[in-house]
Amino acid sequence: MSFRAPLTNHHADDTLCPADHKHTSSGKPLHPDCPGRAYTKAVCSCGDWEKKDCGKGYVNECRRRHLADRAREPKVLRDPPRLGPC
């Protein structure tokens, strides 16, 4: 199983900043209706990890490291056996 941790940008009021809202590297909006990127967040599909910070590059680097660590884990740790009926 491979894990995903997509990056999402958010406004200061915690609303999602759509992908078509472009920003400068500091988060200032280039889209006329955007108040600006306040923070970037990544949540891993493993359910055990998330990172939220005002620095998009920092979140992306942490995300890459986490996904690389998950990929190196032995398969038995990544995919525990199911114990119940499914």
Side-chain angles (χ1 to χ4, degrees):
M1 172 181 207
S2 64
F3 293 99
R4 298 187 63 235
L7 291 174
T8 54
N9 294 316
H10 299 264
H11 302 130
D13 64 359
D14 292 328
T15 58
L16 187 64
C17 187
D20 67 331
H21 285 193
K22 302 300 180 193
H23 306 90
T24 64
S25 60
S26 66
K28 292 182 179 152
L30 296 174
H31 189 278
D33 298 328
C34 184
R37 179 181 68 227
Y39 64 91
T40 298
K41 185 176 181 179
V43 178
C44 185
S45 60
C46 73
D48 292 332
W49 182 90
E50 83 174 50
K51 179 61 80 178
K52 173 182 167 182
D53 195 83
C54 60
K56 182 178 179 179
Y58 175 69
V59 174
N60 196 31
E61 179 62 27
C62 292
R63 179 187 72 87
R64 282 192 217 142
R65 288 178 187 216
H66 171 73
L67 292 173
D69 287 346
R70 294 302 307 228
R72 282 193 294 268
E73 289 178 353
K75 183 163 175 51
V76 70
L77 293 177
R78 284 185 280 143
D79 299 327
R82 291 182 175 242
L83 301 176
C86 287

